[in-house]
Amino acid sequence: MDIRLKSLSDPALAGFDTIIDTRSPLEYAEDHLPGAINLPALSDEERARVGTIYKQVSPFDARKIGGALVAANAARHIAGPLAAHDGAWRPLVYCWRGGQRSGSFATILGQIGWRVGRIEGGYKAWRAMVVERVTASLTTPVIVLDGNTGSAKTEILHRLAARGHQVIDLEGLANHRGSLFGGMPGGQPSQKGFEGRLALALERLDPTRPVVVEGESSRIGERNLPRGIWQAITTAPRIRLAVPVTERAAYTARSYADACADPVGVARIIDSLRPLHPSDRIEEWLRMVDAADWAGLSEGLMRDHYDPRYDKHRSRHDDGRTRVLPIADLRDLDAATSAVEAALAAQEAP
């Protein structure tokens, strides 16, 4: 049974117990449908070998060898990860474009007696919907939570979500805190993976309610913001948190404890800034690393590296609609969140 997905969160997906990506491990690692497991019909090496035979020998020989490999791999999957499933189990399979790999695997599963579905168009059809979603203009009104580095924007965003506000955490989707030291455990998803996560978040929005996003540059770590959300960010009204630099530095020293635990890595990143700053400033920052003066280092980086760049970026997009919200300290983030809530209410008022 072929399933034609009509949306990224098509209810048809909920009718299956397991989504199986039959593509090779490298294809799966780059991107896949949410929640899908990888049971490859062909390994990466086998896929390359069959492709070479297809081009250099003949399509028939490629299909014959490929068919034997798919059958052997399917037998291994059935005897291994699928062995515990009973007759009521319902799998949904796909490959790159719903062709021979998923078709062969689905046929074998169906002959066993499982009620198997196959995604029409495969991953290619899914990816087309993702691209359409992330490049389209947002119909949901957007409000940007802005503020210089260390203003606790992400934590406040999470508290807004917990209080029922509609938010998209772009840094969470990109698994990166958006700064030089913003790497997160597990690394970033691929660009396609990031776009898939974002597309699902956009599809779930209620277009009648505003969505709050954090002010970002066009890149979060190594991932680019797609056109739709980037255009929305650059044109949306803003609430800018104005927090004293000393308070931001103290907050950053607390929240970046994982980075501080790797002083060698911090020193390496600071050393990479030499083309942008005088050598005496770099040496001073490196001395702070040696002394574990994380608050002092944070303040120095904010004053001389981050803040000037924020101010330059902000000047290009400031249309006079920004509401500046003074926040004296960041020790009580619930109070800071309440202040942002009040500003949001004022922003949304007619």
Side-chain angles (χ1 to χ4, degrees):
M1 175 178 62
D2 283 356
I3 304 296
R4 176 179 290 184
L5 298 179
K6 298 178 182 178
S7 69
L8 296 170
S9 52
D10 196 311
L13 294 171
F16 294 89
D17 299 307
T18 309
I19 301 175
I20 301 174
D21 186 324
T22 65
R23 298 176 303 157
S24 70
L26 281 177
E27 292 175 290
Y28 174 84
E30 183 182 24
D31 188 32
H32 52 268
L33 270 68
I37 65 171
N38 187 213
L39 298 180
L42 296 173
S43 69
D44 296 313
E45 296 77 13
E46 291 166 345
R47 177 172 174 254
R49 176 188 168 198
V50 170
T52 299
I53 294 171
Y54 187 94
K55 292 178 180 179
Q56 297 182 1
V57 182
S58 75
F60 174 81
D61 286 302
R63 286 193 292 268
K64 181 173 65 174
I65 293 172
L69 291 171
V70 169
N73 289 328
R76 187 171 63 255
H77 298 323
I78 293 165
L82 305 183
H85 294 300
D86 61 21
W89 176 65
R90 294 201 65 197
L92 177 65
V93 302
Y94 70 91
C95 59
W96 188 69
R97 57 184 176 187
Q100 292 181 334
R101 285 182 288 177
S102 62
S104 299
F105 194 49
T107 297
I108 294 171
L109 296 183
Q111 287 297 312
I112 292 172
W114 284 314
R115 293 178 298 158
V116 57
R118 185 174 63 153
I119 295 178
E120 183 178 320
Y123 169 79
K124 186 178 180 181
W126 165 268
R127 174 64 185 165
M129 288 192 293
V130 167
V131 171
E132 181 180 10
R133 173 66 66 175
V134 300
T135 55
S137 298
L138 267 66
T139 57
T140 305
V142 175
I143 298 176
V144 173
L145 183 62
D146 198 3
N148 286 16
T149 299
S151 298
K153 300 185 295 294
T154 300
E155 285 204 47
I156 290 173
L157 202 68
H158 292 169
R159 282 170 165 76
L160 288 172
R163 296 184 185 191
H165 294 270
Q166 188 164 241
V167 307
I168 291 181
D169 178 8
L170 294 169
E171 293 184 359
L173 297 176
N175 200 39
H176 197 281
R177 288 171 291 199
S179 67
L180 289 169
F181 309 96
M184 299 286 284
Q188 294 193 261
S190 69
Q191 181 67 32
K192 289 181 179 179
F194 170 57
E195 291 173 2
R197 296 178 181 185
L198 176 59
L200 277 170
L202 293 171
E203 184 164 289
R204 292 168 182 155
L205 291 176
D206 178 350
T208 66
R209 301 171 56 214
V211 59
V212 185
V213 301
E214 186 172 338
E216 301 286 354
S217 66
S218 60
R219 287 171 67 88
I220 303 177
E222 296 299 318
R223 300 296 159 252
N224 296 312
L225 288 181
R227 184 176 67 219
I229 191 70
W230 176 239
Q231 288 178 341
I233 287 174
T234 57
T235 58
R238 294 174 175 251
I239 296 172
R240 178 161 64 87
L241 307 180
V243 186
V245 66
T246 53
E247 186 63 25
R248 290 189 284 121
Y251 169 79
T252 300
R254 295 193 302 270
S255 60
Y256 276 69
D258 55 337
C260 298
D262 180 21
V264 174
V266 173
R268 183 171 56 249
I269 294 173
I270 289 174
D271 201 59
S272 72
L273 299 177
R274 288 187 182 277
L276 304 175
H277 296 280
S279 60
D280 59 341
R281 183 178 293 162
I282 296 293
E283 296 306 322
E284 176 63 20
W285 288 345
L286 290 174
R287 282 192 291 272
M288 291 178 177
V289 174
D290 290 338
D293 181 7
W294 304 119
L297 176 62
S298 297
E299 184 170 344
L301 286 167
M302 287 173 186
R303 289 187 186 277
D304 296 314
H305 182 76
Y306 287 115
D307 286 2
R309 284 159 177 76
Y310 259 89
D311 293 341
K312 182 178 180 180
H313 173 78
R314 188 176 291 122
S315 67
R316 293 200 300 264
H317 302 291
D318 188 3
D319 59 2
R321 293 186 296 163
T322 299
R323 181 185 296 269
V324 178
L325 181 62
I327 301 291
D329 68 70
L330 297 172
R331 287 170 292 184
D332 186 349
L333 289 179
D334 284 328
T337 303
S338 294
V340 172
E341 275 193 305
L344 286 170
Q347 191 83 41
E348 298 168 21

